[in-house]
Amino acid sequence: MIVPLVEAVSGTCGGKAGALGALLRAGLPVPDGFVLSYAAYLDAVRDLDLDKSDGPGAMRSAIEARPVDASVIDALERALDGLGDPPVAVRSSASNEDTGQASAAGQHESFLAVRGAGEVAEAVRACWASLFSPRAIGYRRDDRPPDGLAMAVIVQRHLDAEVSGVMFTPAEAHGTTEIEASWGLGPSIVGGTVTPDAYRVAGDGSVTRTIADKRTRLDRRGTDLVVRDVPTPARDRPAIDDATAARLAELGGEIAAVFGGPQDIEWAIADGRTWILQARPVTAAPPPPPPPSPSAASDTPAGALTGTPGSRGSVTGTARIVRGPGDFARVHAGDILVCPFTDPAWTPLLRVAAGVVTETGGVLSHAAIVARELGIPAVLGVPNATSRLHDDTVITVDGTTGAVTATDA
């Protein structure tokens, strides 16, 4: 039922856990932990009395309503004692997650700063149930669970990161490594709630960077996660220096060599040490940044808003301002989402929308990855987009250049 993380393989523990196990066996810096394998999930759901016609929503409700078995809690308590009973991260590792065909980025639940066997058991149950959440179903685009669908769950030491980020390694030898970084814990970056610094490390080790206005950060306070304002002097200070970016790129190269292909990597720096939290195949590379040249600026339409190119292509449609779930019902097929950021829970909207414009977020965030997988043009980090654009106006979004232009209806 419980497998040490260093022994995890994808066939029994899912792609996410299997990758972390492979990195540990290769001697790379991954926080220690363990995995509840597919077997624990299958035992938990084996005798649920559900008719197939009830659909996946009924499966989710049934899992949420059933207490975790006492034997599982006892096993968790022993495994946590083996780690010294620290705060832990509890993370999904599904059979259809972190594959070369589909990342399922942000589609299942993960929890940070969890303490004690009882609370970990509740987080495990939530991970199991998230296989059948609306966003996971929308991402898979299925009304029936596919054959072999199962959920393993990773439990690892929680890291109180000073800086976190995401890195995409290049597809070709001596290519450019893309890195995003910001203060605090990683969900701010992968969730798109902050616009991170962007670094490009060329094959020769040279670094170019764009420093963002990083206004908030996420940190642990006891067993709670708190969003704090970043002090003004630190907002536009680089989260990492060029030497750290170059070292991250070297580490990314080692990780890519382990798996034999380009990798999407989550990393964190805690107490001065760099850790790897996740590695999965790159399913959809971001568009290259526009060249910083006068000719590039002249190509931008007059009056256009500009942001970071997030997903290639151009589309024209009706702007729909979406500030939260209360606005979801207003979105129609072909609309262009204009929002502060796109939470992974908004994945069903991305199946409907023709394009996306956000006020914050980086090109390596979960929502940007999903937009690229779906082929939806996206422009990220457009300041005050929800007030500068208006409902029912016609706009053109160019996800290759980063331009957003109001057009005549």
Side-chain angles (χ1 to χ4, degrees):
M1 178 190 301
I2 288 186
V3 178
L5 186 56
V6 70
E7 298 176 11
V9 294
S10 59
T12 57
C13 297
K16 186 182 296 181
L20 292 175
L23 293 178
L24 277 170
R25 294 190 291 273
L28 292 167
V30 173
D32 193 17
F34 56 88
V35 187
L36 268 74
S37 68
Y38 292 158
Y41 165 79
L42 294 173
D43 282 346
V45 303
R46 181 169 290 118
D47 62 345
L48 289 177
D49 186 17
L50 292 174
D51 190 291
K52 289 186 177 180
S53 63
D54 291 337
M59 188 70 164
R60 179 189 184 192
S61 298
I63 294 171
E64 290 175 333
R66 170 173 287 189
V68 177
D69 191 85
S71 64
V72 175
I73 298 176
D74 288 344
L76 286 171
E77 188 168 13
R78 291 192 297 272
L80 289 167
D81 284 345
L83 292 177
D85 196 26
V88 293
V90 181
R91 307 171 65 208
S92 66
S93 184
S95 54
N96 66 328
E97 189 173 13
D98 291 2
T99 72
Q101 294 72 46
S103 66
Q107 301 311 304
H108 304 118
E109 294 289 359
S110 291
F111 302 90
L112 300 180
V114 185
R115 191 76 180 263
E119 293 301 315
V120 170
E122 291 301 309
V124 166
R125 180 171 61 175
C127 287
W128 288 343
S130 70
L131 268 178
F132 306 99
S133 68
R135 72 188 191 221
I137 295 165
Y139 179 83
R140 294 193 302 261
R141 215 169 189 172
D142 65 352
D143 294 324
R144 294 287 181 272
D147 292 340
L149 185 65
M151 175 68 79
V153 181
I154 304 165
V155 180
Q156 289 177 280
R157 293 181 181 274
H158 171 95
L159 296 179
D160 289 322
E162 293 99 31
V163 180
S164 299
V166 184
M167 167 169 53
F168 274 31
T169 66
E172 67 285 342
H174 309 297
T176 298
T177 301
E178 308 277 351
I179 301 172
E180 293 184 340
S182 192
W183 307 119
L185 300 175
S188 292
I189 298 173
V190 297
T193 58
V194 66
T195 299
D197 297 341
Y199 300 77
R200 305 186 82 239
V201 184
D204 63 3
S206 61
V207 179
T208 58
R209 60 185 183 177
T210 302
I211 305 305
D213 182 19
K214 304 172 290 295
R215 298 192 173 195
T216 62
R217 59 181 289 161
L218 184 69
D219 294 291
R220 179 177 72 91
R221 182 183 295 159
T223 55
D224 294 324
L225 298 180
V226 295
V227 177
R228 300 188 296 160
D229 290 335
V230 174
T232 300
R235 290 180 179 181
D236 57 2
R237 192 171 74 226
I240 58 174
D241 58 24
D242 289 358
T244 301
R247 286 195 298 271
L248 280 167
E250 291 177 4
L251 183 57
E254 294 179 46
I255 294 168
V258 170
F259 299 113
Q263 296 293 298
D264 168 357
I265 298 162
E266 293 181 21
W267 56 270
I269 298 175
D271 296 325
R273 184 177 179 186
T274 300
W275 297 90
I276 301 304
L277 307 180
Q278 182 170 302
R280 61 183 171 213
V282 173
T283 56
S293 66
S295 62
S298 66
D299 290 339
T300 301
L305 308 183
T306 58
T308 303
S311 180
R312 293 175 177 85
S314 179
V315 66
T316 298
T318 301
R320 190 66 58 206
I321 310 302
V322 177
R323 292 189 171 87
D327 294 324
F328 284 9
R330 300 173 50 247
V331 179
H332 305 292
D335 285 351
I336 295 175
L337 299 183
V338 181
C339 45
F341 62 91
T342 51
D343 186 276
W346 296 20
T347 296
L349 292 185
L350 298 182
R351 290 286 188 188
V352 175
V356 182
V357 178
T358 71
E359 295 181 324
T360 63
V363 300
L364 308 186
S365 66
H366 287 159
I369 293 169
V370 172
R372 291 195 293 273
E373 289 180 347
L374 297 176
I376 300 170
V379 177
L380 312 170
V382 179
N384 303 313
T386 59
S387 58
R388 297 166 72 187
L389 298 170
H390 304 285
D391 256 347
D392 296 317
T393 57
V394 177
I395 63 174
T396 296
V397 175
D398 191 327
T400 305
T401 66
V404 180
T405 312
T407 63
D408 293 330

